[in-house]
Amino acid sequence: LSAFCGSLSVVLIVLLLKRHFNLGVAIAGGLLAGFNPIAVFSDSIGMQEPLGLALLLGGLLLLPRQPLLCGFLWALGGMVRAEYWVFGAGLLVAAVVIRFYRKQALPLVIGWGVPSLLYMKYMLDHTGNPIYPVYWNFLAGTAGRWMQDVVLNAEQLTVQLVARIVLLVSLVLAGWVLWKRPRSALFLLLGIGNIILIGIVLGLGKYINGYITRVLVDRLLAVPYGYVGIFLAIGALYLLPRQGHRIAGLMAGWASVLLVFGASQLAWVPLLNYYEPLRPLWDMEMELADQVEFYYHGGTIAIPEDRQALTYGLVRFQGIEGKNLEGQMYDPFSYIEGDPFQDWQKNRQLVWRWLTDHNITLLVFYDGKPQYEEMIRREPGWFDYETSAYRRAVDIYQVHPGDLND
């Protein structure tokens, strides 16, 4: 699905560029965006971004003829990732502001607003927060609730400065697009918005505290890199040929596009250098998935929240459905303020309810995780130790909480 949506996004980009500019820009933009190594690699690892981007681009293609369906696709895109919810809302506001779409404003708002309100009601019922994904995405990535306070090193300070400059330039460019209001405004603003987000996260937020060089070839930058290629195609094959000699301009434009395309393929070198050494870790994750499946006899497995490869292995190779996996980010300990064991008689009810309501039958967690080890010590009748896996770094327990009053 991820690879399909990534390919679909390239097709939509080509169609949108041809609509707003010309065939040459469409071909060049599709070439630079579609063969961007970061995007190609990211689309192959099963992440959500390609689906969200395809929905947003699909909505743009439907304007101005199908505003209701356009808004609906933008709302669906927002349900894929928190930042795409923000992008969809931003596109909606921009569409209302831009004079081309004033007649479509009401169906756009209805198409986006109704499913978004239903989604917010769902979030409210299940999490107590109607904007749960955006709230926690902000706290985690920008406000830094999950980031340690560290002294930034020289590389981090340099990246932070560059991000702030990029943010400033992007804000100016977004303002110019809203002022000039070209027909391609919404398409351009989607890309500029992605770049603005990166500028905020790395330039103003605490995400920079955890920055490492690998971020430069990470999926976080796949869409911004793709849009840089699109902007180059527009400048080289639409704006440049209009400045004088058309043929000379086109020749220079295509030369620059092909030069950048060739240079961009060099990104495969650092990309593979970063990920090739991780193959042994992948093999270990698949071995862990084998062990977890061996002890699984139905129900739900509570797994560590940061083990995407384990999740993939359990679903793809062990045949365990995603609905039977529960990330430990959603356990009660993540939301209890202070020491959960100071008032264990009260909090044990929350934990028991979590285990029973989600039908958790297998608990897989890092050896030494204090909340879980203390929980097992206090409630030995709820758990049976099975084994230690992953070089004794992960413990596996059977879970049978029984009656709360036992």
Side-chain angles (χ1 to χ4, degrees):
L1 178 62
S2 178
F4 171 78
C5 289
S7 301
L8 177 61
S9 294
V10 175
V11 173
L12 293 171
I13 286 170
V14 170
L15 293 175
L16 287 164
L17 286 174
K18 186 175 183 297
R19 171 194 286 181
H20 295 305
F21 300 99
N22 57 50
L23 181 60
V25 172
I27 294 172
L31 182 71
L32 293 173
F35 289 91
N36 167 17
I38 314 301
V40 172
F41 184 83
S42 299
D43 291 351
S44 70
I45 59 177
M47 301 305 290
Q48 311 101 307
E49 286 89 343
L51 173 58
L53 182 63
L55 289 168
L56 296 181
L57 291 171
L60 289 177
L61 192 65
L62 291 173
L63 277 179
R65 294 184 178 181
Q66 299 289 337
L68 186 68
L69 185 55
C70 169
F72 179 68
L73 290 185
W74 288 352
L76 290 183
M79 298 176 194
V80 175
R81 282 192 65 86
E83 56 267 38
Y84 283 26
W85 197 358
V86 176
F87 293 154
L91 288 172
L92 179 68
V93 172
V96 172
V97 170
I98 294 174
R99 60 178 177 268
F100 304 129
Y101 304 113
R102 286 180 180 172
K103 291 183 179 180
Q104 291 82 11
L106 182 59
L108 258 178
V109 171
I110 294 173
W112 183 88
V114 171
S116 295
L117 287 173
L118 293 173
Y119 182 54
M120 293 171 70
K121 179 62 167 61
Y122 177 86
M123 288 290 115
L124 181 64
D125 291 345
H126 289 269
T127 71
N129 185 340
I131 57 169
Y132 179 89
V134 175
Y135 179 78
W136 281 103
N137 190 285
F138 171 77
L139 284 180
T142 305
R145 180 161 178 174
W146 295 341
M147 294 289 179
Q148 294 181 345
D149 286 328
V150 298
V151 177
L152 300 183
N153 60 37
E155 181 183 8
Q156 290 170 331
L157 288 171
T158 300
V159 170
Q160 186 182 61
L161 175 61
V162 171
R164 289 174 177 176
I165 295 172
V166 169
L167 174 60
L168 180 61
V169 173
S170 300
L171 288 172
V172 172
L173 186 57
W176 181 86
V177 170
L178 287 171
W179 178 44
K180 291 294 186 178
R181 300 178 181 180
R183 291 279 181 181
S184 57
L186 294 182
F187 175 71
L188 299 176
L189 287 171
L190 176 58
I192 297 170
N194 270 271
I195 297 172
I196 287 174
L197 176 66
I198 298 301
I200 293 173
V201 170
L202 293 177
L204 303 180
K206 292 290 186 179
Y207 190 89
I208 193 68
N209 291 10
Y211 169 87
I212 55 177
T213 308
R214 182 178 60 81
V215 170
L216 296 176
V217 292
D218 190 76
R219 60 189 177 85
L220 185 70
L221 296 176
V223 175
Y225 283 151
Y227 258 94
V228 168
I230 290 169
F231 294 150
L232 171 65
I234 294 171
L237 299 174
Y238 183 76
L239 299 178
L240 181 61
R242 294 184 166 200
Q243 303 307 309
H245 298 286
R246 174 175 169 77
I247 300 300
L250 285 173
M251 292 177 63
W254 274 110
S256 62
V257 166
L258 294 175
L259 180 64
V260 171
F261 172 76
S264 71
Q265 299 310 298
L266 298 176
W268 281 112
V269 176
L271 187 64
L272 295 178
N273 284 342
Y274 277 115
Y275 288 102
E276 190 66 28
L278 299 179
R279 285 186 180 273
L281 295 178
W282 171 264
D283 293 336
M284 290 175 63
E285 290 290 308
M286 296 306 102
E287 182 181 344
L288 176 59
D290 287 339
Q291 292 179 288
V292 170
E293 192 277 335
F294 178 79
Y295 293 105
Y296 176 64
H297 305 295
T300 301
I301 309 172
I303 60 175
E305 63 273 13
D306 57 350
R307 303 297 281 260
Q308 298 93 334
L310 174 61
T311 304
Y312 185 86
L314 290 171
V315 174
R316 176 66 177 83
F317 299 115
Q318 303 301 331
I320 298 174
E321 294 186 65
K323 67 180 181 181
N324 294 324
L325 300 177
E326 175 83 1
Q328 290 164 13
M329 179 185 293
Y330 303 103
D331 71 17
F333 296 109
S334 301
Y335 303 96
I336 297 173
E337 297 290 340
D339 182 359
F341 300 102
Q342 283 187 345
D343 188 3
W344 182 238
Q345 287 306 311
K346 172 186 174 183
N347 290 328
R348 76 189 291 266
Q349 298 180 31
L350 297 176
V351 174
W352 180 85
R353 191 175 300 115
W354 173 63
L355 294 172
T356 55
D357 288 352
H358 293 267
N359 191 27
I360 293 174
T361 59
L362 199 65
L363 188 62
V364 181
F365 64 95
Y366 295 121
D367 182 62
K369 187 170 184 177
Q371 297 94 334
Y372 282 22
E373 293 201 341
E374 180 63 18
M375 172 181 65
I376 292 170
R377 188 188 71 80
R378 289 173 178 258
E379 306 292 345
W382 293 1
F383 306 96
D384 285 329
Y385 173 77
E386 289 287 7
T387 189
S388 291
Y390 207 80
R391 298 180 180 175
R392 305 194 67 80
V394 174
D395 294 334
I396 301 176
Y397 281 80
Q398 295 287 346
V399 182
H400 41 79
D403 190 276
L404 181 61
N405 297 319
D406 289 346

